[in-house]
């Protein structure tokens, strides 16, 4: 057991603590099996580390308290002392806290941080987090490096909050951290701190702005774009007017406007050439975001643009302007690009009743591309009535697993709408074909709703 404890991680200690007691309630005598076969002695003085670990997790609070008093000689059991700091028994809890306060230093605090943060989410767990902040607040920046690179995001969040609070990282380091980390909380924390540091120091520098502006995360890029306003670099913000992220585009428009510019003419100039292969898709949706309904005249020609991204953003732009004409957009459901078909489907959903059910049924067949079939099914399902049930039942045996699953869900939530003819025999047949999806009671009730009592 010593080897197992030596390689244990935070979650393993919590599992051990719970498991030692949990089995006690699965036996007729309400005792764990190990207490029958190899019980602990009344005196814990001579216990080895493995047996002392069992005592620290014991069901009896008096045993746990005695084990805590004898654990100072076993540094390997400090994780269990951390858990006992949130113990429900006050004598155990207070003694464990005294011991942890005596032995915790910067080195051990870094290693125990994942477990302390997990235990901190429990009732009475705040002590550990407070002590961790106190100890690591006095530590050098080098000690905290292990927290910055930790695989658990809660540990990285804690480390960066501590570093920001104690000003242990410079603006450039914070900017690189915001650009590198995958966690949005860390990104926001470090990007905000980096920009704030620049503001407090006055001016701006490329060492901070470049990592922010080139980051993959839209939230981090948006922080960098916003910082361009105070840096007095509106020309640099113009590049981000066509960013792939709506958040970044909005921030870029804000910066341009704050310096007296107007983004709308820029977007109109970009979109005026429908055959331009270099047209950025972000310019198309950006025009809809800050333009008016008259700008639809620039968007309609872009539905035939050779780039799929431009076609998709043109459809999205028409939807933003509330000018999605069902008859003109319907041919795009056959577009070879899935992104275009997805945007077209979203644009057609509000006017789905205007679409021919037979035309959509044809496109839900097995000979069509998958993205076209998915779009046709979504639109038919939105139409409701018998046609929605018909297409869903037909897809119950489809080889595509996702389509089959969606069809099952559609059948299960189907109810006859007002246009369904009462007593329609086709409805009864379709429900019978899908009876395996219902209990007998639900099937009878669904048929009764459709007027099929007999």
């Amino acid at each position: 057991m010593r080897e197992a404890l030596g390689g244990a991680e935070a979650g393993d200690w919590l599992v051990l603590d719970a498991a030692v007691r949990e089995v006690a309630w699965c036996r007729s005598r309400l005792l764990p099996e190990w207490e029958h076969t190899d019980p602990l002695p009344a005196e814990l003085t001579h216990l080895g580390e493995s047996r002392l670990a069992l005592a620290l997790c014991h069901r009896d609070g008096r045993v746990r308290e005695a084990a805590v008093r004898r654990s100072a000689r076993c540094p390997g059991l400090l994780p269990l002392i951390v858990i006992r700091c949130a113990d429900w028994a006050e004598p155990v809890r207070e003694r464990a806290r005294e011991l942890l306060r005596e032995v915790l230093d910067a080195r051990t605090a870094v290693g125990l941080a994942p477990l302390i943060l997990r235990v901190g989410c429990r009732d009475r767990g705040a002590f550990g987090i407070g002590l961790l902040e106190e100890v690591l607040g006095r530590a050098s920046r080098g000690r905290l490096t292990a927290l910055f690179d930790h695989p658990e995001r809660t540990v990285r969040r804690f480390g960066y909050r501590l570093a920001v609070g104690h000003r242990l990282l410079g603006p450039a380091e914070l900017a690189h951290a915001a650009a590198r980390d995958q966690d949005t909380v860390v990104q926001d924390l470090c990007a905000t701190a980096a920009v704030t540091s620049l503001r407090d120091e006055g001016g701006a520098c490329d060492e901070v702005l470049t990592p922010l502006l080139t980051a993959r995360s839209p939230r981090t890029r948006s922080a960098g774009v916003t910082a361009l306003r105070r840096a007095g670099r509106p020309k640099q913000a113009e590049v981000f007017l066509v960013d792939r992220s709506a958040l970044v585009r909005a921030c870029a428009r804000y910066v341009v406007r704050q310096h007296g510019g107007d983004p709308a003419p820029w977007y109109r100039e970009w979109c005026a050439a429908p055959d331009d292969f270099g047209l950025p898709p972000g310019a198309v949706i950006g025009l809809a975001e800050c333009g008016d309904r008259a700008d639809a005249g620039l968007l309609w020609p872009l539905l035939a643009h050779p780039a799929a991204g431009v076609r998709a953003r043109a459809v999205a732009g028409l939807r933003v302007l509330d000018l999605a004409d069902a008859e003109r957009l319907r041919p795009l459901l056959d577009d070879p690009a899935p992104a275009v078909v997805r945007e077209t489907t979203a644009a057609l959903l509000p006017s789905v009743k205007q679409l021919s059910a037979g035309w959509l049924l044809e496109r839900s067949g097995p000979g069509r591309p998958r993205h076209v079939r998915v779009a046709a099914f979504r639109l038919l399902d939105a139409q409701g009535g018998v046609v929605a049930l018909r297409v869903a039942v037909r897809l119950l045996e489809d080889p595509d697993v996702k389509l089959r699953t969606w069809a099952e869900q559609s059948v299960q939530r189907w109810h006859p709408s007002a246009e369904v003819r009462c007593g329609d025999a086709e409805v009864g047949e379709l429900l019978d074909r899908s009876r395996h999806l219902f209990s007998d009671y639900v099937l009878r009730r669904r048929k009764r709703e459709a007027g099929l009592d007999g």
Side-chain angles (χ1 to χ4, degrees):
M1 184 175 177
R2 175 186 293 271
E3 291 75 10
L5 293 179
E9 297 182 354
D12 299 326
W13 291 105
L14 294 170
V15 170
L16 171 65
D17 177 56
V20 170
R21 295 182 305 281
E22 183 179 0
V23 292
W25 312 110
C26 300
R27 301 288 179 181
S28 59
R29 285 175 286 182
L30 300 180
L31 287 175
E33 184 175 344
W34 65 268
E35 287 196 47
H36 291 293
T37 58
D38 193 12
L40 294 174
E43 178 56 51
L44 307 181
T45 306
H46 302 294
L47 286 184
E49 187 174 286
S50 299
R51 300 280 284 167
L52 194 56
L54 290 177
L56 284 168
C57 306
H58 199 274
R59 58 188 171 80
D60 190 329
R62 291 167 295 186
V63 176
R64 294 199 304 277
E65 182 185 5
V68 170
R69 295 181 180 279
R70 289 162 178 79
S71 296
R73 57 184 172 83
C74 297
L77 296 181
L78 265 181
L80 291 176
I81 299 301
V82 170
I83 297 175
R84 294 283 70 83
C85 287
D87 200 282
W88 56 87
E90 184 176 359
V92 180
R93 187 169 66 245
E94 293 303 321
R95 183 66 191 107
R97 291 177 177 182
E98 291 176 12
L99 177 58
L100 187 63
R101 184 176 288 279
E102 292 172 4
V103 302
L104 195 66
D105 56 24
R107 182 183 61 81
T108 54
V110 169
L112 290 173
L115 180 60
I116 292 175
L117 293 172
R118 288 200 189 189
V119 174
C121 298
R122 298 180 171 183
D123 291 339
R124 303 172 294 270
F127 168 83
I129 295 181
L131 181 60
L132 186 66
E133 291 176 348
E134 179 184 332
V135 172
L136 291 182
R138 302 189 300 263
S140 64
R141 187 178 67 174
R143 286 288 185 190
L144 298 180
T145 303
L147 302 184
F148 301 154
D149 299 327
H150 200 277
E152 291 190 24
R153 61 184 181 182
T154 53
V155 178
R156 299 199 306 277
R157 291 174 183 178
F158 176 84
Y160 280 115
R161 284 195 184 103
L162 203 63
V164 168
H166 290 78
R167 296 181 175 271
L168 298 177
L169 296 176
E173 293 171 306
L174 289 168
H176 282 285
R180 180 182 64 248
D181 203 281
Q182 301 297 311
D183 181 56
T184 56
V185 174
V186 173
Q187 292 167 6
D188 288 349
L189 175 70
C190 293
T192 302
V195 173
T196 302
S197 297
L198 282 178
R199 182 186 63 201
D200 294 343
E201 295 174 6
C205 62
D206 292 334
E207 289 77 7
V208 175
L209 291 176
T210 299
L212 297 178
L213 295 173
T214 57
R216 293 186 61 185
S217 165
R219 302 171 73 95
T220 305
R221 289 202 307 281
S222 66
V225 171
T226 304
L228 291 172
R229 181 183 70 87
R230 183 170 293 275
R233 302 183 183 183
K235 295 293 292 183
Q236 196 170 345
E238 291 173 2
V239 178
F240 296 92
L241 289 172
V242 297
D243 194 90
R244 61 183 181 274
S245 165
L247 175 63
V248 177
R249 291 194 300 271
C251 291
R253 290 194 292 269
Y254 165 76
V255 173
V256 170
R257 288 182 181 126
Q258 288 297 305
H259 284 80
D262 184 3
W266 287 88
Y267 286 126
R268 293 186 182 111
E269 182 180 348
W270 274 320
C271 296
D275 297 327
D276 181 9
F277 281 83
L279 176 61
V284 181
I285 187 63
L287 175 60
E289 290 168 343
C290 74
D292 52 42
R293 292 168 68 89
D295 291 316
L298 294 173
L299 296 181
W300 283 112
L302 297 177
L303 297 179
H305 194 277
V310 172
R311 297 198 303 275
R313 296 299 182 272
V315 176
L318 291 167
R319 179 161 62 94
V320 168
L321 295 173
D322 196 23
L323 291 171
D325 182 270
E327 193 60 32
R328 295 179 69 177
L329 289 180
R330 189 183 69 165
L332 289 175
L333 287 175
D334 291 323
D335 196 280
V340 177
V341 176
R342 282 195 300 270
E343 289 291 351
T344 304
T345 304
L348 291 176
L349 280 173
S351 54
V352 69
K353 296 291 185 181
Q354 301 177 23
L355 301 175
S356 166
W359 188 85
L360 291 174
L361 278 169
E362 181 184 349
R363 276 147 186 79
S364 68
R368 300 283 180 167
R370 183 183 183 276
H371 63 278
V372 175
R373 299 181 68 212
V374 170
F377 171 69
R378 285 186 62 193
L379 293 169
L380 286 167
D381 186 55
Q383 282 190 349
V386 178
V387 66
L389 183 61
R390 186 184 303 145
V391 68
V393 171
R394 189 174 74 177
L395 292 175
L396 290 179
E397 298 180 357
D398 197 88
D400 189 287
V401 177
K402 286 190 175 181
L403 261 176
R404 190 166 64 244
T405 302
W406 293 333
E408 291 173 354
Q409 295 169 349
S410 176
V411 172
Q412 288 172 328
R413 67 172 177 263
W414 184 88
H415 290 274
S417 55
E419 63 266 21
V420 175
R421 182 167 51 86
C422 185
D424 191 332
E426 183 186 5
V427 172
E429 179 188 351
L430 292 171
L431 290 174
D432 285 336
R433 287 171 57 186
S434 56
R435 64 169 57 249
H436 61 284
L437 299 176
F438 303 100
S439 66
D440 292 340
Y441 169 75
V442 172
L443 182 61
R444 286 196 302 270
R445 188 177 65 180
R446 203 59 51 86
K447 285 186 173 183
R448 191 177 303 117
E449 291 176 8
L452 297 165
D453 294 341

